[in-house]
Amino acid sequence: MGERRDVREARQRRDALDPQVEAVVEDIERLGVPRWHAMSVDRARRVEDDLFTPDGPPNDDGIEFVRDLGFDGPAGEIPVRIYRPEGEGPFPTLVYYHGGGWTLGTLDSIDGVCRAIARRANCVVVSVDYRLAPEHPFPAAVDDAYAAVEWVTAHAGTFGGDPDRLGVAGTSAGGNLAAVTTLRAREFDGPEIGHQTLLYPMISRAFDRGSYAENADGYLLSTRDVRWFWEQYLRSPVDAHNPFAAPIRAADLSDLPPATVVTAGFDPLRDEGVAYADRLSAAGVDVEHRHYPGMVHGFLSLTDDVDVADEAMTAVARDVRRALGQ
């Protein structure tokens, strides 16, 4: 009887998945790609790059120019890619951190999302190619993320950005870095950040929230994948208690920038994103929590195929425009 109920509940949850997302997921599953945790780091990086790097830049997408630059970071050059929209600047400026569990991801694999935000939010986007684990474990990515904000603050004017209208954003592990960067800027009197955009962020290493059980074998990201990413990133379990690794552990979340937090119903990370949005709000931070119950992890990369993803991208861009004064 219990087994039949579990099957029925699983079927009901399957039926609640957005049909357009389901079609995309089925196409990816037909490629026979193993779960991230089942591959070596090198192989997972090649697969991620192959799956998510666009074949070429879109035609006439409202972006005036794209520049690949770099600056001297804490341990060498940090590559960045700058997207400036068409029109008269200076523009609000958004520093963007890609996802991939601090282990995968490139400037190319997040290119489509950065173009969409730059165009729809009418802002300069600076995408950051921070150092990856396990070769460079915590806090290397944190240091690079913060150094990028400092560099953009000093040099945004050279590429049409306005350093006085500065935001941070990121997907998944990049959402973690965006959140941590705001904490670090507050704690160490750093650059003035006007908004944080946290897209299905990895905020906590605790695996006791319901969405980890509910979406254990989730679409595009599983609970075992998340565990594997944390294992690559942290030097030891002690790091998991550091709020600059897991920002939900920060004792005080007050005096942080206004936030947009996006969560997805079929995502193992759903509940920690919800919990972080709630904690920010309780601390007096202005929060726009946008929850999409029929979506999966990473869905904002699917705007060409999924109507709800396209609508969500427009809503996120609207939040950025409103917060940064465009």
Side-chain angles (χ1 to χ4, degrees):
M1 187 72 174
E3 181 180 353
R4 193 174 304 152
R5 184 172 60 251
D6 289 344
V7 171
R8 184 169 60 250
E9 290 175 352
R11 185 177 298 119
Q12 288 170 346
R13 290 185 60 250
R14 176 80 172 185
D15 290 343
L17 184 68
D18 182 281
Q20 290 180 317
V21 164
E22 186 172 15
V24 172
V25 169
E26 288 174 352
D27 286 344
I28 293 174
E29 289 176 346
R30 275 193 287 269
L31 297 175
V33 178
R35 295 290 190 176
W36 300 118
H37 71 268
M39 293 184 278
S40 68
V41 169
D42 286 345
R43 178 59 63 181
R45 285 174 179 166
R46 288 195 289 271
V47 168
E48 195 270 352
D49 195 46
D50 183 55
L51 283 177
F52 297 109
T53 299
D55 295 331
N59 296 321
D60 191 25
D61 66 344
I63 303 300
E64 182 173 314
F65 73 73
V66 178
R67 295 281 186 274
D68 284 349
L69 301 175
F71 65 92
D72 290 331
E77 183 184 71
I78 301 176
V80 294
R81 180 170 295 168
I82 297 167
Y83 304 80
R84 191 174 81 186
E86 296 174 349
E88 292 294 326
F91 299 95
T93 304
L94 192 68
V95 181
Y96 198 95
Y97 310 110
H98 66 73
W102 309 281
T103 306
L104 319 175
T106 65
L107 297 178
D108 290 333
S109 62
I110 200 63
D111 182 78
V113 171
C114 290
R115 286 176 180 271
I117 292 178
R119 182 179 70 255
R120 300 188 196 199
N122 200 39
C123 68
V124 167
V125 173
V126 181
S127 182
V128 183
D129 195 12
Y130 54 87
R131 285 172 290 166
L132 298 178
E135 299 91 336
H136 306 286
F138 172 83
V142 172
D143 289 339
D144 288 358
Y146 190 72
V149 166
E150 292 186 311
W151 180 79
V152 169
T153 300
H155 300 287
T158 63
F159 43 80
D162 183 352
D164 293 326
R165 293 182 291 164
L166 177 68
V168 293
T171 47
S172 195
N176 172 292
L177 294 175
V180 166
T181 296
T182 68
L183 283 171
R184 185 167 175 176
R186 183 197 66 182
E187 290 300 308
F188 297 101
D189 196 25
E192 189 72 26
I193 299 171
H195 190 257
Q196 53 181 322
T197 305
L198 314 180
L199 309 176
Y200 22 88
M202 291 178 71
I203 292 294
S204 168
R205 192 176 172 271
F207 292 96
D208 55 355
R209 293 182 173 87
S211 57
Y212 275 111
E214 211 175 290
N215 299 301
D217 296 317
Y219 309 100
L220 307 185
L221 183 73
S222 72
T223 295
R224 289 186 67 184
D225 291 336
V226 180
R227 288 184 181 274
W228 183 73
F229 285 132
W230 279 106
E231 288 167 2
Q232 309 312 308
Y233 183 50
L234 302 183
R235 298 165 299 186
S236 80
V238 173
D239 284 339
H241 297 270
N242 188 324
F244 292 116
I248 203 166
R249 299 192 67 89
D252 179 14
L253 295 179
S254 63
D255 299 321
L256 292 174
T260 292
V261 181
V262 171
T263 53
F266 288 82
D267 184 355
L269 304 180
R270 180 195 67 210
D271 289 354
E272 65 197 66
V274 173
Y276 197 66
D278 289 345
R279 280 207 57 205
L280 286 170
S281 182
V285 176
D286 184 13
V287 178
E288 184 70 60
H289 178 204
R290 298 188 178 278
H291 179 65
Y292 297 89
M295 294 292 105
V296 299
H297 188 78
F299 74 95
L300 285 168
S301 296
L302 309 178
T303 53
D304 289 344
D305 301 301
V306 178
D307 292 341
V308 173
D310 191 61
E311 294 164 6
M313 180 66 80
T314 297
V316 167
R318 187 169 58 244
D319 291 347
V320 172
R321 290 180 72 137
R322 184 183 300 120
L324 299 183
Q326 177 64 40

